[in-house]
Structures are given as structure tokens and as C-alpha cells.
Amino acid sequence: MASALNRANPLLSTLPHVLTWRTLGFRTICSGRLGFATQSQLDPEPPVAGTKVLETFKEEFEIGSRLITLETGKIARFANGSVVLGMEDTKVLSAVTSAKGDAIRDFLPLTVDYQEKQFAQGVIPNTFMRREGAPKERELLCGRIIDRPIRPLFPAGFYHEVQVMASVLCSDGKQDPDVMAANATSTALMLSDIPWGGPIGVIRIGRICGQFIINPTMDELSLSDLNLVYACTRDKTLMIDVQAREISEEDLEAGLRLAHPEAVKYIDPQIRLAAKAGKGKKEYKLSMLSDRTLEKVSDLAEAPIEAVFTDPSYGKFERGEALDKITQDVKSALEEEGDEESLKVLPKAVDTVRKEVVRKRIIAEGIRVDGRRLDEVRPLYCEAGYLPRLHGSSVFSRGDTQVLCTVTLGAPSDAQHLESLVGPPTKRFMLHYSFQPFCINEVGKRLGLNRREVGHGTLAEKALLAVLPPEDDFPYTVRVYAEVMSSDGSTSMGTVAGASMALMDAGIPLRDHVAGVSVGLVSEVDQPTGTIKNYRILTDILGLEDHLGDMDFKVAGTRKGITAIQLDIKPAGIPLDIICESLESAHKARLQILDHMEREIYAPRAQNDRNSPKLATLKYSNEDIRRLIGPLGVLKRKIEEETGTRISVGDGTLTVGSKNQSAMEKVLDKIDFIIGREIEVGGVYKGVVDSVKEYGAFVEFNGGQQGLLHISELSHDQVSRLSDVVSVGQQLSVMCIGQDVRGNIKLSLKALSPRPASETNNVVEESIPSAKEKQNIWAFKDMSSIQEKLNLASDLPVSQHEVGEVSPPTSSTPSVLIRSASECDEEERSATTQYSKITSKGIDGLQSGLPFSNTNAKKSKRPMRKEQKSEPIFRKKEGVEKENGDNEPITAKTLKVGTKVNAKVYQIRALGVVLDLGGGLRGMYRFETNSKRVFEVGDEVQVVCSSFSSKGIPMMSLVEDE
């Protein structure tokens, strides 16, 4: 309107705002009239929004001392059915929808999507997009928990697409939402207009100290030896899922008997809520086979199908080809008749005839498709260690089902990080199941995570968790990869047996072998009542028996008890008594399989092959580990690149993984060089020559320690020039041969080379400390105990008397005092000045109380541990200690403050003299101010121990003549 006026009167668009009609108080032009506008017309009141009333319906009830609520009508109102189930502070929404239109297919396209959204626990997703990504393994498994019990209750011939979407709205972390989502889905289906034969109840049972617990919390489940999820209708079982720690069949049956009445408690509240808020069931078109079509196909195909199934010589693919030929013959006959209606449903009709033929023969004659007895297990083949150069591998075959399993060990940092609302944050044992298309002679594509593969792998993983060593004893991450090579029924149970053997082959100390078997059921139902009037239990079912039968009851365990169970059924429930009866058949078959596995491998193997991958666990202080990692992990990454190994850092532990033994030795040498280890008399260490003097070379080794390689310790032959043998930067392997009175380290190169024959003839053989033994590291070798003892020793301070106990090495060279390179240079420069002050009357002008150790000693290039800066830690070899007696010379243990000793002057220094106290023990006498006494080497003096230095060196004083 305004634009039209502007076009008619261009001047209106040029008027200032203060001169417009509304500003001057005039009404707008309407019907050619002009007038004043009222105030209410100038500023009209905005409309007030009304209050929407949401009609909600709620049911409250109590199960296992916990209050449960079912609420509908508040949210997700457009879905066919929706409900929010709450238990304490955890709420789960389940919404169900069905596609419109006719269903042109021969199966039920039921999709169950379960999602744990991160906002339910107040967390923002840590993905790049900060959104929930593809479904995680746990979400797929929870979706299977919902799908398995509800699928059998849809009516036969209902092939309309149905979608269930369950999502966690909020979680307190106490309850696992999977069972809550299953009960919420049952309620949503009851409220919807979709035909369904529910309701169902789903319950979780735990057991702690022999007492069963209804709806246990996550903390209680961590202490429980049973995690049982049970789903049922009012009188029949629909689904069982069990993870246990070797629970007996009798105890499991008791748990099932308890779970059924507890699960039924969910049913009545759903019926009451559906009576108040439920929709009337909609009439859907059911795709049913007509009696005429079924009868015609049966007349044409029943006899040839029975001939194929009664011939046990047929293999899986030969039988399949014969059945396909029968289908083609029936198709040709129908085409000749022009029966288009029967041709459309021909595959479904032929499959129905196959099912009736097989089931009748099993019920009437007790004979199976391949000619086996009902309780007979197929032929077995077991082989451990099939693939070389792996941590562990195995091949397990049962009939035509074959699974190849491999084991890979990793560091603790390789554990899988989980982001679920409940449960542990990491998983250190992973079993990945792969079903390749070639295993059933088909062509297919690999597309991400598959619900079936995830479910089968998790079942085998739960079966093996019960026998794995505890994390404290075996901290490594373990990955089992199970690849199905050929499939003809129960590949998941073949995975359990194959993985158990592969873990044993890898040297992992399993408590016992685990095996599994699948038990099937063929029943005859009374149509009017729906009750089972006759049935047969089948042990170790074929793929065809799984398809044509009523039940797939997978049971895995050890000789002691059950570790995992998964029950899937096709009819609308099976009586619990039949399921409990099946446990005994599964137990007998499991023992037969375990016998074959134990004949192949019955104990964990020791991995001694140098070419196989290795793992080692070392214990160090956190300060040492920080030195190894370096700033921002630069040093650690450099070591990994140079050695081709992987280093995992924990609290006080290092886990090293390598491809072979040579790489392990290389990385351990680098770790020893950077961090160091306990210095041991007789131990062999790798070091680098830091500086060369006329009297010897200073070698840096063991994480920054410095020792003196004296010229006399270079070779058994006389060495005139030191530079002819060693040079700065040269890498050497040297042996620690002792420690001087000042705590310095003496090294030897000739101790590692054999003596010339001429010398050995004149020398009595003695027990010389041997080099450090080579570390035996293997696939699951835990070196923590060895290294822990070393670190315990390194963390303890050296006793004040311990230095004197180190026996001098058996060498023709007299003992020397070891100092650092800088200390020697400093003393050489000051020697003239110091000795010029010594007169025939003694020492004048020197201050008393000067420290014995030089504070200008050269520091190591690499940072060292605190105890290494002050004094290296030694551990004496066995057999060097002497028994004390009254007539024995004085030792470091018997020397105390106030003890008088007759000593000899061993060496004269600038600030004092070194005294030989006997028994290899050295002491120090510091010159006193204005002393008149003159000392010479070899003089005998009587001294008394006045104190000990910080390094444990006895400080002596002269005894005045009486």
C-alpha cells in the first residue's frame, strides 16, 4: 500500500518523518477518508500467547528397591509411540515410527538406533566438529539388546519399515541405560498403532558374594561375578545375554529363575499406560503366502528337497547348488502354467517347504541334515602358532567353520579410549571379529562397522575376559583379531576357541582354556494354543539348522563354569525349562572341544625367538622418566625413531615394545645410558670417553655418571701412550671394578678381555665378578620385579660404613684415587702453590676445616638423579663379604667413632694424608693449623676415628703420645 502511494505521489516519499501522517496524528488514508487516529490505534497491544496444556500420562512402580516411571504425552508427540522411562536421575526416550504405504518385500526392515548423547552427562564432544559422530561400538551393542527381544513379536507377514530411536536424555552414571531403553521401546510399541505382540520386560541381574541383585548399579556390577540381561513375555523367554566369571550351570539356572518374575513386573505398568494413552492398532496389509501357492510349490519341491536333505554326502555348497536347481525347476513349471502370483513369492514358498521338510525329519527320526546325531559335535582341528613372527596365532576348525586368530600385545597406552556414559574409560583387551565375503563364497564390500560383527566379537571378548590375568600382573594391552576363513554355523563360538589358543600361544597366562558351542532347537507347536508339544535340542548347529530352527543358544565357558551366553530366538518366546535343559547339552559339547584344544596347547608358551616381537616393563622414578621423555617428548620420540620401538610411559613404569630382540636390546641400551641403573661391581656398562689425561680417560656412562679408566686398566699389555688406545667421543664397554675412598668409580677395559696365557699360568684362579647377565625379555615377560629391586636399592642412601666394604679388585696395579677431570686440572695448577707452603716444620697459614671434596668438580652433561650427584650406589657381588671375628682387621662395619687404629700413611695430599687402616679400608687425616709433624709414605701412626664425611669416609685424628 505504501509503495503504491509513493508511486502515485512522489512527494510523499520525500517528506521528512516528522511531517508524515502518523506523526501528525492522522489516520491512514482508507476508503478516501481522512481522520485523526486514537492512541490505541497508534500503539496497539501485542497479542498475549495462550498456555498450551500438554496432557501427560504417567505410571510409577518399583522394582529392586528402585522407583521407575513411565511418562508419555509430553515430548515426541508426533511419533507413532513415544515414552520417557526414568530411574533415579537417568532418563531415556524411545520413539517408534512406521512407514506409510504398502510393503513390497519379504522381510521385516526393523531398524533400532540407540544413541548416547554427550549432553546427557554435561560434556561437549571432543570431535573436530564438536558433534556426535558415527555410532560407537557400545551404541551398536545396546541397539542389539533392544532389537533381539522385540523382533520375534511382530506378526508374520508384517513387512512395513519400522524404526526405533532410543536416546539417553540425562544420566547420573549409576545405571546402565541399555535395559531402560529396551523397556521404554516396549512401552512405545504398546502405545503406538503398530501391530506388535508385546509387551515384554527386560531386567538385569548381578551377583555379589553369592547374593543375587536386581537392577545393580555400575559400581555393583564391577564387583559382581554375573551380568545377566533377561527379556521375556509373561510366560516365555525371548532373549538372554550373560557375562560371568565361570559361574556354574546350576547357579546360572537359579539366576534365570529369579530374573523371569522380576522382568514380568515391567509388563502390567505398560498395559495400564497403554489403556490410558495408547492408540488403536492400525490395519496393515500382511504379506502372507496363500494356501494355494504353498500347496502347489510343496507338491513340486517337497520330494526332491527331501532327497537332498537325506543324503549326508552333500557338503554346504553342493547342497546349496542342488536346492537352487530345485528352485529353478519349480520356477520353470510355474512359468509354463502362467501362475504369476506364485512366481512373485517363489523364494519364500520354497524356503517354507525346506523348513517343513527338515523340521519334520528331525522331530520324527532324530536325524540331522548332515547325518549326525542330535548331540554330536562336528570334527575338530586345532593348531596353535600357525603364523611365525607374531605374538600369537591359531587356527580352529569345527566342521566347515574355520577361524584364524592372531594376538598382538601392546603397551598400556595402546588401550582403547571409551566415551560411553557409564563404564570404564579405557579397554585394554579387544577382540575384533571380521566376517569376510569370501568365507561364504560371495562377492561383497567392506563398509565400516557392522552390527553383526560387533556383536559376535563382543560375545567372544566377554567369554575370554574371565580368564585373563589381572591388570596388576599383566598390564599390557591385548588385541585379538579373529578372521572367519569359512562359515557354516556358529563362527562366534569358533572365535572363542581360536582366540583362547592364540592367547596361550602368545604366552599370556590364562587361567584356563575357554571354548564355546551353539545349541539349536526344533519344535512342533500346537497351532490353536501356541504351546510346544514336541521338540529336539541340537548340539553344534549348522548354518542351515540355524536358519530353519527356532533358537541359536551360544554358550561359552571353561571346565569350571560359564563365562558368556547369547540367546536369539525366532518364534514369539520359548519356555525357560527348555533353555535350562539346553545348558547340559552345551556343557557336554564344551568339554569335548576343550579336550582337543588342550592336546594342542595346554599352557602359555615362552617366546624365545629373537625375531618375534618383544615387550618389557621397567620401573623407574618419575624424575628419571621425565629425563627420558625430554622437553615436550622430543627425546622419547627420537629414541623411538632411531630404534623402531614404541615406549609407553606410566606412573613409575616404562613399557617398551619392539619388533624383535635386537631392537629391544638397542632401546634398552639407550635407556640405560640416559637414565642409568644401579652401579654394580663387576657390571658392564656402555659409555663415551669424555676427556683424556696422561694417567687415564674419564668415561661418561650410566645416565651421566663419570668414572676413571686408568691407563693401567686399558690392557694386559703395557700402554705407553693413552691416545693410541682411546680418544674423545669413542664408545666403550667397560667394567666397574670398584670405588675409591672418595666414592669415585674405577673402570677397567682389560677386565673384559682374556688374560694372556703366560700370565694365567702363574695366577691362581679366583672368582671374578662376571658381567651383568643379559636380560631375558619375551612376549609377556614382566621385568618389574627385577627392576623394582634395583630401584629399591637406588632409592636407599648409602650407609656411612658401606664404602669401606668394597673389596679392591684383584689387579697388579695399586689402587689410585679417582677424581673428575676438572678436579685434576685444578689440582695440577695449584699443586706448586700448595706444596710450597709445606716446610720441614709442617703446614703454615692454611685454614682448618676445609672440605675434603673439591666443589669445582665437573658436572655431567646429562642431568642425573639426586643420589647419583652425590654418591653412586653400589651393590656388592655375592661372596665378597668376610665374617667378622675378634682377630679380624678393622672393617667399615666395626669402625666406630672413638675407635683407635694403627694405620700407615698411604698417600700424601695437599690438605692431608690418606691412611691405610687395614682390610682395604682407607681413612683421611686432615692437616691441622700450625702442625709441626712431617709425614712420609709408609709411616705408622696411631689414630682415632673422630667422624665420618658425607660420603662415609672415616675422618681420623692423631693420638697424642702419653
Side-chain angles (χ1 to χ4, degrees):
M1 182 69 181
S3 60
L5 290 176
N6 291 338
R7 287 195 299 269
N9 300 287
L11 293 176
L12 293 178
S13 60
T14 60
L15 289 176
H17 176 70
V18 295
L19 299 179
T20 58
W21 295 106
R22 183 168 294 276
T23 307
L24 296 175
F26 289 102
R27 291 197 302 264
T28 56
I29 299 174
C30 182
S31 302
R33 292 179 298 174
L34 184 65
F36 287 96
T38 62
Q39 185 64 33
S40 60
Q41 291 175 325
L42 292 177
D43 299 313
E45 290 289 336
V48 178
T51 302
K52 184 176 179 62
V53 178
L54 296 178
E55 187 178 10
T56 61
F57 302 90
K58 181 183 290 187
E59 284 289 331
E60 294 185 350
F61 55 101
E62 187 173 323
I63 297 179
S65 73
R66 288 182 172 83
L67 182 65
I68 301 172
T69 61
L70 295 172
E71 185 180 60
T72 186
K74 183 175 290 188
I75 59 176
R77 297 166 61 90
F78 283 171
N80 288 58
S82 66
V83 70
V84 175
L85 187 147
M87 182 184 297
E88 297 181 349
D89 291 337
T90 300
K91 291 184 180 296
V92 178
L93 166 68
S94 181
V96 180
T97 53
S98 176
K100 312 299 186 294
D102 295 334
I104 306 175
R105 55 180 67 90
D106 60 351
F107 65 95
L108 172 63
L110 172 64
T111 304
V112 178
D113 293 323
Y114 171 89
Q115 189 174 17
E116 292 182 345
K117 298 172 182 175
Q118 295 298 304
F119 67 74
Q121 57 179 349
V123 174
I124 297 176
N126 59 4
T127 59
F128 177 77
M129 298 296 294
R130 293 298 185 267
R131 301 173 66 93
E132 286 81 5
K136 299 182 283 291
E137 285 189 14
R138 171 177 162 79
E139 292 175 322
L140 296 179
L141 294 172
C142 292
R144 282 172 57 87
I145 290 288
I146 301 170
D147 182 293
R148 286 156 53 195
I150 68 173
R151 184 179 290 271
L153 298 180
F154 285 94
F158 179 78
Y159 298 145
H160 294 263
E161 186 175 1
V162 177
Q163 185 178 37
V164 176
M165 300 197 70
S167 58
V168 183
L169 301 181
C170 61
S171 173
D172 58 5
K174 296 180 181 179
Q175 296 290 332
D176 195 329
D178 57 353
V179 171
M180 300 173 59
N183 286 293
T185 300
S186 173
T187 309
L189 285 169
M190 289 294 295
L191 294 170
S192 71
D193 56 5
I194 303 172
W196 189 63
I200 67 170
V202 187
I203 197 73
R204 173 174 270 114
I205 301 291
R207 192 179 73 161
I208 300 177
C209 300
Q211 299 294 323
F212 290 107
I213 302 173
I214 311 298
N215 285 334
T217 63
M218 297 304 299
D219 293 336
E220 290 172 336
L221 276 179
S222 63
L223 304 175
S224 174
D225 62 354
L226 174 66
N227 184 357
L228 165 64
V229 178
Y230 181 86
C232 65
T233 60
R234 195 176 294 276
D235 56 354
K236 292 183 180 180
T237 301
L238 287 168
M239 186 268 294
I240 297 175
D241 195 275
V242 173
Q243 179 181 353
R245 299 176 187 172
E246 298 179 290
I247 187 172
S248 66
E249 279 75 8
E250 294 78 10
D251 291 345
L252 178 62
E253 182 177 349
L256 294 174
R257 301 287 184 188
L258 172 65
H260 188 90
E262 293 294 332
V264 169
K265 294 180 181 179
Y266 280 96
I267 294 178
D268 289 334
Q270 297 181 42
I271 296 175
R272 293 195 300 268
L273 187 64
K276 293 187 292 186
K279 300 176 183 178
K281 297 301 181 182
K282 184 179 178 182
E283 292 294 334
Y284 284 86
K285 182 179 178 181
L286 301 181
S287 302
M288 302 293 292
L289 289 174
S290 65
D291 295 337
R292 186 186 67 84
T293 299
L294 188 59
E295 182 179 357
K296 183 180 293 188
V297 174
S298 178
D299 293 339
L300 295 173
E302 183 174 2
I305 287 175
E306 187 174 358
V308 172
F309 285 146
T310 54
D311 188 354
S313 63
Y314 279 107
K316 175 179 179 178
F317 294 106
E318 293 80 7
R319 186 185 301 113
E321 291 173 359
L323 293 174
D324 289 340
K325 187 177 182 302
I326 294 172
T327 304
Q328 293 300 323
D329 294 341
V330 174
K331 181 179 179 181
S332 300
L334 293 177
E335 287 177 347
E336 292 178 0
E337 296 179 6
D339 191 350
E340 296 295 334
E341 180 183 353
S342 298
L343 286 173
K344 291 180 181 180
V345 293
L346 178 60
K348 184 73 173 178
V350 173
D351 187 67
T352 303
V353 175
R354 292 177 187 174
K355 186 174 182 179
E356 292 178 354
V357 170
V358 172
R359 295 168 69 90
K360 285 180 181 179
R361 188 163 181 261
I362 292 176
I363 291 290
E365 303 176 20
I367 300 177
R368 302 166 66 171
V369 173
D370 56 355
R372 281 184 296 150
R373 297 189 307 272
L374 297 181
D375 60 347
E376 185 179 352
V377 179
R378 287 173 288 176
L380 301 170
Y381 173 79
C382 303
E383 180 181 353
Y386 172 69
L387 298 175
R389 301 181 69 89
L390 297 183
H391 286 153
S393 63
S394 71
V395 174
F396 178 83
S397 297
R398 187 183 59 249
D400 290 332
T401 296
Q402 186 182 65
V403 183
L404 170 67
C405 294
T406 60
V407 174
T408 306
L409 300 179
S413 61
D414 294 326
Q416 181 182 1
H417 294 271
L418 306 176
E419 294 182 354
S420 59
L421 299 181
V422 294
T426 59
K427 184 170 69 171
R428 70 183 187 100
F429 177 68
M430 299 164 284
L431 194 151
H432 296 155
Y433 169 98
S434 176
F435 192 90
Q436 303 289 356
F438 63 77
C439 71
I440 52 174
N441 194 23
E442 288 185 358
V443 177
K445 295 182 179 180
R446 302 294 301 166
L447 300 172
L449 282 179
N450 181 280
R451 289 176 182 266
R452 180 180 178 276
E453 291 184 348
V454 171
H456 281 42
T458 302
L459 174 62
E461 181 180 296
K462 293 191 294 186
L464 293 162
L465 280 174
V467 298
L468 286 178
E471 188 172 0
D472 295 338
D473 299 335
F474 191 81
Y476 305 118
T477 299
V478 182
R479 186 203 185 206
V480 178
Y481 190 83
E483 191 165 8
V484 180
M485 297 287 107
S486 60
S487 172
D488 191 14
S490 191
T491 54
S492 61
M493 294 296 96
T495 298
V496 172
S500 180
M501 291 192 300
L503 291 170
M504 285 273 192
D505 183 59
I508 298 176
L510 301 184
R511 291 206 304 270
D512 202 352
H513 264 311
V514 184
V517 69
S518 185
V519 179
L521 177 71
V522 174
S523 61
E524 186 177 359
V525 180
D526 185 11
Q527 295 299 333
T529 61
T531 59
I532 296 176
K533 59 182 181 180
N534 199 0
Y535 64 91
R536 294 288 185 269
I537 296 175
L538 311 179
T539 301
D540 184 21
I541 58 176
L542 296 172
L544 183 63
E545 292 170 336
D546 182 12
H547 173 66
L548 302 178
D550 297 331
M551 175 179 77
D552 184 10
F553 189 30
K554 302 181 179 73
V555 183
T558 65
R559 292 187 180 275
K560 297 178 182 178
I562 295 171
T563 58
I565 282 180
Q566 179 176 297
L567 170 66
D568 295 319
I569 65 171
K570 295 179 178 64
I574 294 175
L576 183 57
D577 293 335
I578 296 178
I579 294 172
C580 294
E581 183 182 348
S582 303
L583 290 174
E584 183 60 27
S585 300
H587 180 248
K588 293 178 180 178
R590 186 170 77 245
L591 295 181
Q592 296 178 33
I593 300 173
L594 288 171
D595 290 338
H596 284 75
M597 294 168 59
E598 290 171 355
R599 282 196 290 268
E600 172 64 18
I601 181 171
Y602 63 91
R605 287 179 179 167
Q607 300 292 337
N608 297 320
D609 184 9
R610 288 185 59 84
N611 293 323
S612 62
K614 307 294 176 183
L615 281 176
T617 298
L618 310 173
K619 287 188 177 293
Y620 291 102
S621 66
N622 290 332
E623 180 182 351
D624 291 338
I625 294 177
R626 282 193 293 270
R627 291 168 48 203
L628 177 69
I629 296 175
L632 301 177
V634 174
L635 185 56
K636 171 178 170 289
R637 289 194 297 271
K638 182 180 179 182
I639 295 174
E640 291 176 334
E641 292 173 359
E642 292 177 352
T643 61
T645 59
R646 298 177 66 181
I647 301 176
S648 175
V649 179
D651 187 10
T653 61
L654 287 178
T655 303
V656 184
S658 66
K659 295 181 179 179
N660 49 51
Q661 180 66 30
S662 60
M664 177 62 73
E665 294 172 355
K666 186 176 180 181
V667 71
L668 289 180
D669 288 341
K670 288 186 174 292
I671 293 174
D672 284 343
F673 186 81
I674 296 174
I675 296 181
R677 61 179 188 262
E678 180 183 0
I679 301 177
E680 182 178 311
V681 175
V684 179
Y685 305 89
K686 290 184 179 180
V688 178
V689 177
D690 187 60
S691 62
V692 178
K693 303 296 180 182
E694 294 182 358
Y695 47 84
F698 287 92
V699 179
E700 185 175 347
F701 71 105
N702 199 46
Q705 293 281 353
Q706 263 199 354
L708 176 64
L709 177 61
H710 196 263
I711 190 172
S712 61
E713 294 295 333
L714 288 176
S715 174
H716 294 288
D717 300 329
Q718 185 174 0
V719 177
S720 58
R721 293 182 59 187
L722 193 68
S723 59
D724 295 339
V725 182
V726 296
S727 59
V728 175
Q730 182 179 353
Q731 293 187 355
L732 298 174
S733 293
V734 292
M735 177 186 288
C736 176
I737 60 175
Q739 182 183 24
D740 69 356
V741 294
R742 299 180 64 183
N744 298 309
I745 307 166
K746 296 188 290 184
L747 305 176
S748 175
L749 192 60
K750 70 179 184 180
L752 297 178
S753 59
R755 268 182 198 277
S758 59
E759 295 184 17
T760 57
N761 294 334
N762 301 324
V763 178
V764 180
E765 292 186 0
E766 297 180 1
S767 60
I768 301 176
S770 60
K772 182 176 181 181
E773 296 181 358
K774 187 178 179 182
Q775 295 172 335
N776 183 19
I777 304 169
W778 46 318
F780 73 95
K781 177 71 175 176
D782 189 354
M783 302 175 62
S784 59
S785 59
I786 300 173
Q787 201 67 27
E788 187 175 1
K789 294 178 182 179
L790 300 182
N791 285 333
L792 285 175
S794 65
D795 292 337
L796 295 175
V798 178
S799 170
Q800 293 180 350
H801 312 292
E802 193 172 344
V803 177
E805 292 183 27
V806 180
S807 301
T810 56
S811 174
S812 58
T813 306
S815 302
V816 297
L817 181 67
I818 303 176
R819 292 163 288 180
S820 65
S822 60
E823 185 178 350
C824 294
D825 295 340
E826 178 67 22
E827 186 162 330
E828 288 174 0
R829 289 194 295 268
S830 61
T832 305
T833 306
Q834 295 289 345
Y835 280 100
S836 65
K837 297 184 180 180
I838 303 178
T839 62
S840 59
K841 294 184 180 181
I843 301 176
D844 296 328
L846 291 179
Q847 295 182 358
S848 61
L850 292 177
F852 178 64
S853 61
N854 195 327
T855 57
N856 296 325
K858 180 181 178 181
K859 294 185 179 180
S860 169
K861 293 182 180 179
R862 293 183 178 88
M864 296 180 293
R865 289 178 288 187
K866 294 182 179 179
E867 61 267 16
Q868 290 176 339
K869 292 180 181 179
S870 59
E871 49 189 353
I873 297 177
F874 280 77
R875 182 176 64 186
K876 294 180 60 178
K877 289 286 188 180
E878 295 181 359
V880 300
E881 294 186 2
K882 298 181 179 180
E883 296 182 358
N884 292 328
D886 296 339
N887 298 326
E888 293 290 336
I890 198 72
T891 64
K893 289 184 177 181
T894 58
L895 182 63
K896 300 178 180 179
V897 175
T899 304
K900 294 183 180 180
V901 182
N902 291 325
K904 289 185 178 181
V905 177
Y906 178 77
Q907 199 173 28
I908 301 176
R909 299 294 177 88
L911 304 179
V913 295
V914 179
L915 300 174
D916 185 359
L917 306 180
L921 184 62
R922 302 285 190 267
M924 182 65 190
Y925 166 70
R926 185 183 293 114
F927 291 141
E928 299 176 358
T929 307
N930 301 324
S931 174
K932 305 296 183 181
R933 183 157 184 172
V934 179
F935 297 93
E936 294 183 1
V937 176
D939 288 351
E940 292 187 359
V941 293
Q942 189 176 22
V943 291
V944 60
C945 180
S946 59
S947 63
F948 292 92
S949 70
S950 60
K951 295 184 178 182
I953 301 173
M955 306 301 296
M956 315 303 291
S957 300
L958 294 176
V959 177
E960 299 295 337
D961 297 334
E962 296 179 357

